[in-house]
Amino acid sequence: MTGRDPKSLITIARANGGDDEAEPLDLGARVRELRKARDWTLEHAANQAGLARSTLSKIENGQMSPTYEALKKLAVGLQISVPQLFTQPQRDQVNGRMTVTKSGDGSAHATATYEHELLADGLSRKQMLPYRARVRARSLDEFDGWVRHDGEEFLYVLTGVVKLYTEFYEPIEMRRGDSAYYDAAMGHNVISVSPEDAMILWVTSLA
């Protein structure tokens, strides 16, 4: 990803449904907005994410395209999921919209533990964020602590066997067709316990 314009990471379709060109998401502005919403200084946010202050400043000003590792650190520091970095939540009411994502056509974003494929990323002002994930992690040791973020989350196992770890419940083994709905502010992590990487569908609320 290095060397690419951060604004080209993901495109958001215009809300009017017209044929005009897709509007790119300004990742730097998105990160700055998330930081200011928490009333954090640049230095505090950088410390939370484990990044140098200068690095975060360059990301916010569009002077640096962050690596996948930096994106993961940003998400953990801001206490959101990686896909939420790329979706601008809006509260405007929009009716009569639809988008179709063909198999394999989602927007891919990889981390050390998951390979995310964002679905329906052609729509802006979504109230929920659907994405398919390949679970690469095999141990909790592969995570830098709990993943937690605002909203609620739905998990559905597509293939393989996973173990869902949460902050307040005993670990739960889940197989194809099993699902879970939980408060995403509660710490949670998912690992694959099958020989192959498991595939899951995640839907996270943005409202």
Side-chain angles (χ1 to χ4, degrees):
M1 186 180 297
T2 303
R4 292 176 57 192
D5 181 356
K7 296 182 182 181
S8 70
L9 287 173
I10 187 170
T11 56
I12 307 298
R14 294 186 184 277
N16 61 14
D19 295 330
D20 38 352
E21 186 177 352
E23 181 179 353
L25 172 71
D26 187 336
L27 178 61
R30 171 69 170 145
V31 172
R32 186 185 306 112
E33 177 186 90
L34 289 166
R35 172 175 65 80
K36 290 187 174 182
R38 290 156 174 75
D39 199 25
W40 288 356
T41 64
L42 192 65
E43 184 171 0
H44 180 72
N47 288 336
Q48 288 291 109
L51 297 172
R53 183 184 183 281
S54 59
T55 298
L56 182 55
S57 177
K58 289 178 180 178
I59 291 173
E60 288 193 359
N61 290 302
Q63 298 172 350
M64 175 185 289
S65 181
T67 63
Y68 287 129
E69 186 62 26
L71 288 173
K72 178 186 173 185
K73 288 182 177 180
L74 275 172
V76 171
L78 292 167
Q79 298 182 341
I80 62 174
S81 64
V82 172
Q84 285 178 297
L85 281 173
F86 299 95
T87 300
Q88 180 73 50
Q90 304 267 352
R91 292 194 179 276
D92 296 358
Q93 182 65 39
V94 180
N95 297 311
R97 301 185 305 151
M98 184 180 81
T99 187
V100 175
T101 305
K102 295 289 188 177
S103 179
D105 286 349
S107 180
H109 299 282
T111 71
T113 49
Y114 304 119
E115 290 181 13
H116 295 300
E117 182 187 4
L118 275 66
L119 308 174
D121 63 338
L123 289 181
S124 61
R125 299 184 177 90
K126 293 191 289 287
Q127 299 300 309
M128 55 186 178
L129 178 64
Y131 53 102
R132 184 166 39 232
R134 177 183 297 275
V135 184
R136 298 160 54 181
R138 293 299 195 278
S139 167
L140 282 182
D141 295 336
E142 298 178 49
F143 294 88
D144 295 326
W146 291 115
V147 172
R148 64 176 87 243
H149 48 86
D150 293 338
E152 297 180 322
E153 200 158 67
F154 176 76
L155 180 159
Y156 184 91
V157 182
L158 298 171
T159 65
V161 184
V162 303
K163 185 168 285 188
L164 171 62
Y165 289 86
T166 56
E167 194 171 6
F168 305 127
Y169 297 88
E170 290 296 317
I172 303 172
E173 187 170 287
M174 303 174 62
R175 298 175 177 273
R176 179 179 179 180
D178 293 344
S179 63
Y181 188 107
Y182 50 88
D183 176 5
M186 172 179 64
H188 55 279
N189 289 317
V190 177
I191 68 170
S192 175
V193 294
S194 49
E196 70 282 358
D197 292 345
M199 294 291 295
I200 60 178
L201 173 68
W202 252 320
V203 181
T204 302
S205 67
L206 297 173

